[in-house]
Amino acid sequence: MSEATLENDAVAIVATMDTKQAEASYVADIIRANGRGAVLVDVGTSSVAATRSADPAALLADIGRRARRSVNALLSEGRISAIIGIAGGKGSGVFGEAVADLPFGFPKLLVSSARPALLAELAARSDILLYPTLVDLFGVNGFTGRILTNAAHAIAAMHYKPQDPSRRKIVAITAFGVTTPAVNECVRLLPEKGLEAIVFPANGSGGRKMEALIDAGEFDAVLDLTTTELADDLAGGTASAGPDRLTAAGRRGIPQLVAPGAVDMVNFGVPSSVPERFSGRKFYSHTPFTTLMRTTPEEAFEIGRRTGLKLAVARGASHVLWPSKGVSDYDREGAVFRDPEANAAWLSGLRSTLPPSVIVQEIPCHINDPAFAQAAVGWILQNIREEAAPHENV
């Protein structure tokens, strides 16, 4: 890594200097002309390829780890307040690794010629601002020059400001269309008590982003009303957030309230996308592009069992609310997915692994009834107050 300045408000420029030096220098000049310092982080492979593994994937992983350490050091030293990447496909992946530890809201801009699928994956993992070049990056020309100029001016105008420690307490909430009334009520109630509510769609990407932000310390409590992503993880649906879903709050030790919102369904695309092994199951077309499959009692038991295992290792206060009259809009009396046996199986699976220290509270209502949201918010309020320092006004 070469240093262009030691100013505390500099922009880090991540690029493969063996192939993108002209572009990086062009951007650096514009950033400096805007009164900002520039620090170059070289992620090129030429200088290390001869001494490293011949495996390209291993080489890129090593470069990514080194870049991540360099960027983290610049941040901890207070030297940078924004970062920009200039890359093709391989460099874009390295940039994603380099910025992985930067705080939410830290300006991260990537100018990239990578394929859209890779950019979509980066967008799912971080709050990176993406600027696709549409053409390949081979030097500065009439086309790429316009793109690089705009990107350089944009990042030069962005400054990271650390979170105000006196901010309001923030609660993360998970939502799905079929649990929206419950979420709406929670979002209405929490601000009345001085709390801020941030809602994540439980669609796979939303759950992963929430878990990452919990790990980053962005939230003070989690109101996990909609744990449907666990159903997709079990059955191979399109809304899986992966095996680490429902673990970050436990690691951080912050209060978490968990409910079985929408665990009655697994998400697939158009009907033809449903795997053949599920032939004969109960389905419902939520939209022409979304096919929902009702979970069986056996699947519900396993989802509950996994939920209990995750809560069993939580370091902070945990609580489960179980709505005895249904877990989604499609699981109420007379609705397409109403199945009290499957719902009871979820509860049995949960209790098979849940320690006695975690209370399971049955609420004799539907998850979307106001009484359920009121009980959930009441528990969050009580436990955030207990976590807060005596001088804090919550």
Side-chain angles (χ1 to χ4, degrees), residues 190 208 269 283 298 315 342-343 349 361:
L190 286 167
R208 286 192 297 272
F283 296 99
E298 293 76 19
R315 294 172 46 235
N343 293 349
Q361 180 183 356

Side-chain angles (χ1 to χ4, degrees), residues 64-258:
R65 286 190 293 269
R66 289 167 174 266
R68 187 171 182 170
R69 287 195 295 267
S70 296
V71 169
N72 288 348
L74 290 169
L75 178 67
S76 64
E77 293 163 7
R79 293 170 54 192
I80 60 171
S81 58
I83 190 167
I84 183 171
I86 304 167
K90 293 179 180 179
S92 294
V94 171
F95 182 80
E97 176 68 15
V99 304
D101 297 329
L102 293 179
F104 178 76
F106 190 98
K108 316 170 187 73
L109 176 59
L110 175 61
V111 180
S112 175
S113 59
R115 67 188 189 281
L118 174 58
L119 298 182
E121 177 61 27
L122 291 174
R125 287 162 34 196
S126 177
D127 59 328
I128 297 173
L129 299 172
L130 300 171
Y131 197 154
T133 63
L134 304 185
V135 299
D136 216 337
L137 281 167
F138 274 93
V140 180
N141 53 50
F143 198 98
T144 61
R146 283 180 283 169
I147 295 169
L148 293 169
T149 297
N150 287 340
H153 282 293
I155 200 66
M158 299 180 189
H159 304 259
Y160 175 64
K161 299 298 181 184
Q163 195 173 84
D164 183 352
S166 63
R167 65 167 174 78
R168 290 193 298 172
K169 298 286 186 179
I170 305 177
V171 180
I173 306 177
T174 48
F176 220 38
V178 291
T179 59
T180 294
V183 175
N184 283 343
E185 183 68 2
C186 291
V187 170
R188 183 185 72 82
L189 292 171
L190 286 167
E192 292 178 358
K193 302 299 182 180
L195 302 178
E196 187 173 356
I198 304 297
V199 179
F200 291 86
N203 59 6
S205 174
R208 286 192 297 272
K209 287 180 179 177
M210 184 185 75
E211 296 286 322
L213 290 173
I214 294 169
D215 271 328
E218 292 288 341
F219 299 109
D220 302 286
V222 180
L223 212 171
D224 214 339
L225 284 176
T226 314
T227 50
T228 185
E229 289 157 317
L230 299 181
D232 283 73
D233 187 53
L234 173 66
T238 59
S240 170
D244 291 333
R245 179 69 172 87
L246 197 62
T247 60
R251 283 192 297 273
R252 292 287 304 183
I254 61 175
Q256 60 176 332
L257 182 137
V258 174

